[in-house]
Amino acid sequence: MRRTAESRFWRRPFDADSLPRVRGSVRIHEDRCKGCAYCVEYCPRGVLVRSERFNLKGYHPPDVMESLECAACGLCELICPEFAIRVEQLEPAEVDRAS
Ligand code: SF4
Ligand code: SF4
């Protein structure tokens, strides 16, 4: 896992290796985005980054940089004020295929 500033303070459960990995797929509706970057700032896994592209409204939508790190927590979907993000939890077979 990529070490973000926050992750240094996280505890790792003793049985982490025996648990199935939960992963998500993030889809961004770019033209709804208003570039607030809440999703970038608050993603606990550092999955999203601000892009240099402009959307139709003239804002910078996020890019998904670390797609395999998404834990499908749904925080970005919940926090986005423009309902511009959808997160779907991947099936275990899809996680194995992607890794
Ligand atoms: S939280 Fe929503 S509106 Fe804000 S940057 Fe992310 S996708 Fe765009
Ligand atoms: S679902 Fe959670 S881990 Fe995945 S991109 Fe959104 S905030 Fe980050």
Side-chain angles (χ1 to χ4, degrees):
M1 182 176 109
R2 194 160 64 97
R3 304 278 292 179
T4 61
E6 295 79 12
S7 71
R8 283 183 291 125
F9 304 109
W10 286 14
R11 291 179 298 164
R12 181 177 163 81
F14 291 128
D15 58 352
D17 291 331
S18 65
L19 298 171
R21 287 194 309 156
V22 177
R23 290 292 179 263
S25 163
V26 184
R27 280 190 298 145
I28 297 162
H29 301 277
E30 293 199 356
D31 291 331
R32 288 188 188 174
C33 174
K34 66 177 181 185
C36 66
Y38 287 169
C39 56
V40 174
E41 290 299 320
Y42 290 102
C43 170
R45 310 281 296 211
V47 172
L48 302 167
V49 294
R50 194 164 178 264
S51 75
E52 293 301 317
R53 287 188 314 284
F54 290 100
N55 65 9
L56 281 179
K57 297 180 194 171
Y59 296 118
H60 297 285
D63 269 336
V64 180
M65 288 303 287
E66 301 278 348
S67 59
L68 286 178
E69 290 299 326
C70 175
C73 69
L75 181 62
C76 55
E77 183 178 305
L78 190 68
I79 208 172
C80 176
E82 301 300 312
F83 304 101
I85 304 182
R86 287 296 305 268
V87 179
E88 287 176 20
Q89 187 172 327
L90 296 174
E91 296 296 328
E94 292 176 291
V95 177
D96 290 343
R97 264 201 306 277
S99 38

